[in-house]
Amino acid sequence: MTRVLPASPDSLAEAAGLLDRGSLVAFPTETVYGLGGDATDDKAVASIFAAKGRPSFNPLITHLPDLETAGNFALFNDPAFDLAEAFWPGPLTLVLKRLPQCRLSDLVSAGLDTVALRVPAHPLARDLLRSANVPVAAPSANRSGHVSPTTADHVLSEFTEDQIAAILDGGPCRVGVESTVVDVSGAQPTLLRPGGLAVEDIQRVCGPLAKAGEGEAPRSPGMLSRHYAPGKPLRLNAGAPRPGEAFLSFGGLPGTMNLSVSGDPIEAAANLFAMLRELDAGGFARIAVAPVPDTGLGAAINDRLRRAATPVEDAAPLDDWPEACGAAMPCLAITDPYDDGD
Ligand code: AMP
Ligand code: MG
């Protein structure tokens, strides 16, 4: 049974132990409840996507206890550092360049060279992150298409006991809408998602944010302007490799590498980006991928494979997203129109 744990030192130790062992634990943040898993463990991250029933691999936010720990994973340029100093802990997520030695799962970044980091302000979340000793990837703790949960009961009603080991109960969330997401990995800080921290407050620290749709800015949080694509041509639904091709196999077929010999889509998701990167760096001219059944996480795997095989301009949007993502909007008031839907 999914255990609902009251706020106590024993509960924190138990929840931290579960995270360390690769299980999923929901926990409160000041924005909404998060569905947490060890962000360095590909399988734990894949099981987050499986539990949410997400139709595609959007990158997840990794939660950390403090700025110092965050510095182990990503590059903090001046605006990033200033924003983190000003607003962490708090409802601000920063998208940053991954450091070369970054230990976070490639799946957390959906294969991109950036990662979204946040230090939440909720005392229970911070205690958990300190005790767990691992970075914790956590999207909102609801099934895809449902609203974000702000109480432990909401979370309990979303998942089955085999999907999630425990829920830390910290009562209702204070902010109730998701964190504001700012991309500081490029030349100008860019608002990716309005949320619990007002844009005006952010702009006081880092100057004007680029507006959505300008330059490199994605038009929606889910619709990243960039998505992972290998440098080499990718051929999908291949029964066998052609000359010069590396073969990324699935199930019983022999290949250069195998996403999951047993045909397990969660294992395949956990391996997807790391294996594509390895084959991309290897000696083959092209990459062929065996068919992956479109059930469960297989649908998300196929979605990403199709995008990886397609030039960015030709890829369909991942989500619907209202045209306007104006920096001057009152962020706390707008919840639904900007909800990722997952
Ligand atoms: P959630 O985890 O559901 O709160 O949503 C995370 C949000 O952060 C989504 O809007 C993602 O698209 C966005 N995000 C996370 N990582 C990145 C990244 N590396 N680049 C751009 N956006 C990201
Ligand atoms: Mg959500």
Side-chain angles (χ1 to χ4, degrees):
M1 226 182 61
T2 302
R3 306 203 40 208
V4 180
L5 305 170
S8 75
D10 282 354
S11 299
L12 282 168
E14 182 171 352
L18 286 165
L19 285 171
D20 284 341
R21 292 193 295 278
S23 299
L24 302 191
V25 174
F27 62 98
T29 78
E30 73 277 26
T31 59
V32 300
Y33 274 73
L35 179 59
D38 178 354
T40 64
D41 177 343
D42 292 319
K43 270 205 118 160
V45 177
S47 60
I48 294 175
F49 285 102
K52 282 187 69 86
R54 273 196 176 177
S56 65
F57 295 127
N58 288 348
L60 303 178
I61 296 170
T62 295
H63 295 71
L64 299 155
D66 47 49
L67 172 56
E68 196 190 334
T69 317
N72 294 327
F73 302 101
L75 179 75
F76 282 76
N77 54 19
D78 286 345
F81 187 77
D82 292 347
L83 288 171
E85 282 260 277
F87 299 115
W88 280 359
L92 172 69
T93 295
L94 296 175
V95 173
L96 305 144
K97 280 261 184 262
R98 290 170 68 113
L99 287 176
Q101 72 272 25
C102 177
R103 291 184 297 112
L104 300 178
S105 160
D106 279 321
L107 193 54
V108 153
S109 295
L112 297 170
D113 61 358
T114 53
V115 68
L117 302 183
R118 177 161 102 86
V119 175
H122 197 292
L124 253 192
R126 298 196 80 195
D127 287 345
L128 176 66
L129 293 167
R130 271 190 220 103
S131 323
N133 235 343
V134 291
V136 176
S140 55
N142 53 276
R143 292 189 59 77
S144 190
H146 294 192
V147 293
S148 298
T150 53
T151 67
D153 273 352
H154 291 171
V155 181
L156 197 58
S157 65
E158 289 286 310
F159 302 102
T160 58
E161 60 189 80
D162 56 321
Q163 291 176 319
I164 151 173
I167 303 170
L168 260 185
D169 188 351
C173 300
R174 181 168 59 81
V175 177
V177 296
E178 279 89 351
S179 60
T180 305
V181 182
V182 176
D183 185 346
V184 276
S185 69
Q188 194 190 355
T190 301
L191 177 69
L192 297 190
R193 175 176 78 184
L197 179 65
V199 169
E200 291 83 344
D201 292 340
I202 297 171
Q203 296 193 135
R204 265 193 284 280
V205 172
C206 71
L209 291 173
K211 289 204 188 84
E214 273 177 13
E216 281 222 73
R219 279 177 42 232
S220 105
M223 196 195 114
L224 303 165
S225 61
R226 295 167 299 144
H227 55 74
Y228 173 73
K232 294 174 181 169
L234 195 67
R235 188 167 66 88
L236 305 184
N237 294 317
R242 294 175 185 160
E245 281 182 341
F247 189 41
L248 182 56
S249 170
F250 177 83
L253 287 174
T256 320
M257 298 184 96
N258 198 313
L259 287 168
S260 169
V261 175
S262 66
D264 171 8
I266 294 186
E267 187 182 14
N271 287 328
L272 178 69
F273 291 112
M275 287 188 174
L276 281 174
R277 277 181 182 280
E278 207 170 319
L279 293 178
D280 203 20
F284 295 87
R286 291 177 299 279
I287 303 168
V289 189
V292 176
D294 215 32
T295 48
L297 269 194
I301 293 172
N302 287 325
D303 171 83
R304 279 296 143 175
L305 282 172
R306 276 193 298 273
R307 288 169 196 282
T310 316
V312 174
E313 314 79 65
D314 297 344
L318 294 183
D319 300 322
D320 287 325
W321 178 252
E323 280 302 303
C325 179
M329 290 206 166
C331 291
L332 268 172
I334 39 177
T335 52
D336 287 344
Y338 290 92
D339 190 41
D340 275 356
D342 59 6

